[in-house]
Amino acid sequence: MFKILKYSFYDLMRSRWSYVYFLFYLLLGLVLLFLNNDLSKAVITLMNVIIILVPLIGTIFGVMYYYNSKEFTELLLAQPVKRSSIFLGQYFGVSLSLAMSLVIGLGMPFIFYGIFNSDAIGNFALLLITGAFLTMIFTALAFVIALVNDNKIKGFGYAILLWLFLAVIYDGIFLMSLVFFEDYPLDRFSLAATMLNPIDLSRVLILLKMDISALLGYTGAVFQKFFGTNQGIILSSLMLVLWVSIPLYLIRRISTRKDF
Amino acid sequence: MRLPVFILILLALSFSNAKAEQLEVCNSCEYKNIKTAIESAAAGDTVVIKKGTYREFNLQITKPLTIIGEDHPVIDGEDRGEIITIESDNVTIDGLKIINVGTSYTTDYAAVRVVKSENFLIQNLQLEKLFFGIYLEKAKKGKVINNTILGDAVEEYSSGNGIQLWYCKDIEVTGNKIQKVRDGIYLEFSDDILIEDNLSKDNLRYGLHFMFSNNDSYENNIFENNGAGVAVMFSKFITMKGNIFRKNWGPASFGLLLKEINDSEISNNNFEENTVGINIEGSNRINYNNNDFRNNGWAVKVRGACYSNIFTKNNFFNNSFDISYNSKLNDNSFDRNYWSSYTGYDLNKDGLGDVPYRPVKLFSYIVNRTPETIILLRSLFIDIIDFSEKVSPVFTPDNLMDQNPLLKPVSHDIN
């Protein structure tokens, strides 16, 4: 598995796309810092970008990589290598290179700007960690979708739909249900609904760190109490890990049973 | 030519010397404690208290006296009750350090209380471990200047206010520093009061609290990190200028709370990092101009029954919500403000945006209805519905807009 991981990783490192991705984040970080002149402000703006773009790029890149390397995968399958290690190796190659582009691309300008001497370091670290997690989650989901669908167009369609659902539609349904059931106590429901969507979970985690919790009023107090405690932090990181491991399990399962 | 003037001064000096005697209080002086000195002083005398610690309380001043402390002598009340009570006109108290005022649930013990007196001057006092600090009761024409009040309030019910004015008139409260009491400055039924250059921070409840007080003005004060900010209630003709409200941050905090305030002026103030910059309820005919709102949760929250308020030349920078309304009705006007989230253009380059700005977002309307929805703040879905509402308003007041949004922030001098 590690050989394949290494191969995929180096292959991607050499590819144009990860440079584009890396340069994009580098530029974004530089421009934000140049325009904002304020580290914590830049972190907030960055959050909006990370929450939306990272999942999108992870999804598209994952699907694209799978379909592009399909012929090579088929060649590998003819060799005496375990199936799960082929796909997991590829997956980790893609997700690690993407996460690395993100972390280094964003990290560099902020480090030059002196993030280590600033109070925003904790927030920034959280931002990068959730960004890396989101990359892992959405690349894994993309792999699952691509494995299930042999049709490229269909695969892309489903991947985009998945992103659209988690990034936009889920919140819409969430909002509607909150407004519809406004007469009932909703804090537990909203807590659960937030935990179930990795994008929402990352957003709320970062928002609470940004000291915006007071805005949330009573609901905020509930959230702060939950995410502020060790139990809440462990639970939410567990949730993120779960979001990575379930698709990984699916990749294993589908890849071993699939007829190529 | 000079001689008569000189003689006059000499005469005046000797005359005043003859009249006003100076009594000294210290361990080795004629008077060992303050109480006997005050009792034996004649009207118009000066009592000088030397450095030292005096364990005394219930000092009643019933004649015009000047009490001066040298190097801040300490009067320790030992938690037994009120310390100084002034019941006469023309009293000056200067340079004392008063500690350990008694706490009571039935009587409002104060470090210094002024009762029905005129022309008093209370200055350079240091008050610590207190219940009430300076309590002015039906007093007139006095000054409270440069005092430092440091409380240790923990619970609202067992703590008092820093400076309290009750049925007062023509009083100047200047340059005081008030920390960690219940309400920093509290006014009730007090008119024509000037509150200037004070610092009120870390108080349990309000930095400044107005009730039923008219024609007052407060200028250039700093209110920081108070439990609930500043509350101005049931008052008329109030001027608020050049104050700084910052870091009043918490689930139930605001920079400034206006309730039933009419015909007032709010200008050149700075609201920074408050959960709610200004919370307005039932307030009419107020002019808001040249204020800065920075990084607040809500810059202005309009609760209802607010008519004919005018917002002009204010700067709104990076607030999560600029204005929030809970109804579709609007009778307030917004004109020529700067909004940092304005996205319009200015083709004729007159400095005014060509497209009106709508400061009330759909999301703020939804949050007003269902507070739990705030958990979706900064979600992409919310941005999308805000955008669609901006294009064609359905839920938010459609006449609420700034027809001439400024493209550049108003520059005004805020210290």
Side-chain angles (χ1 to χ4, degrees), chain A residues 187-254:
Chain A
D187 33 88
R188 273 174 184 281
F189 166 72
S190 50
L191 206 63
T194 314
M195 293 289 279
L196 286 177
N197 180 346
I199 297 185
D200 274 351
L201 182 59
S202 325
R203 183 171 52 80
V204 170
L205 272 178
I206 299 170
L207 276 186
L208 286 177
K209 264 275 176 294
M210 300 293 179
D211 204 26
I212 220 148
S213 51
L215 270 192
L216 309 180
Y218 169 67
T219 328
V222 172
F223 271 74
Q224 185 77 340
K225 225 173 146 187
F226 181 74
F227 288 109
T229 56
N230 284 332
Q231 186 203 347
I233 286 174
I234 290 168
L235 208 63
S236 43
S237 359
L238 213 71
M239 208 62 209
L240 287 176
V241 172
L242 214 66
W243 264 102
V244 181
S245 42
I246 290 176
L248 280 189
Y249 170 73
L250 285 177
I251 291 176
R252 261 184 79 121
R253 204 180 133 98
I254 295 167

Side-chain angles (χ1 to χ4, degrees), chain B residues 302-305 324-329 365 368:
Chain B
V302 181
R303 292 289 203 177
S324 139
Y325 259 66
N326 60 357
S327 74
K328 269 199 74 160
L329 278 174
Y365 168 81
N368 255 324

Side-chain angles (χ1 to χ4, degrees), chain B residues 55-126:
Chain B
R55 293 192 169 74
E56 292 180 57
F57 71 107
N58 262 345
L59 302 169
Q60 287 186 337
I61 302 171
T62 48
K63 52 206 151 195
L65 280 184
T66 302
I67 298 179
I68 296 173
E70 277 184 5
D71 301 323
H72 287 286
V74 178
I75 303 181
D76 185 347
E78 295 181 311
D79 294 325
R80 285 199 288 182
E82 190 147 293
I83 300 189
I84 298 177
T85 313
I86 298 170
E87 288 169 18
S88 155
D89 295 347
N90 306 315
V91 173
T92 298
I93 295 187
D94 187 353
L96 301 174
K97 178 169 183 172
I98 302 177
I99 60 173
N100 296 330
V101 180
T103 302
S104 157
Y105 295 97
T106 49
T107 320
D108 292 343
Y109 291 132
V112 178
R113 178 190 295 269
V114 180
V115 184
K116 294 181 188 162
S117 307
E118 284 184 26
N119 299 326
F120 56 89
L121 170 65
I122 298 172
Q123 62 179 2
N124 304 325
L125 299 187
Q126 292 175 3

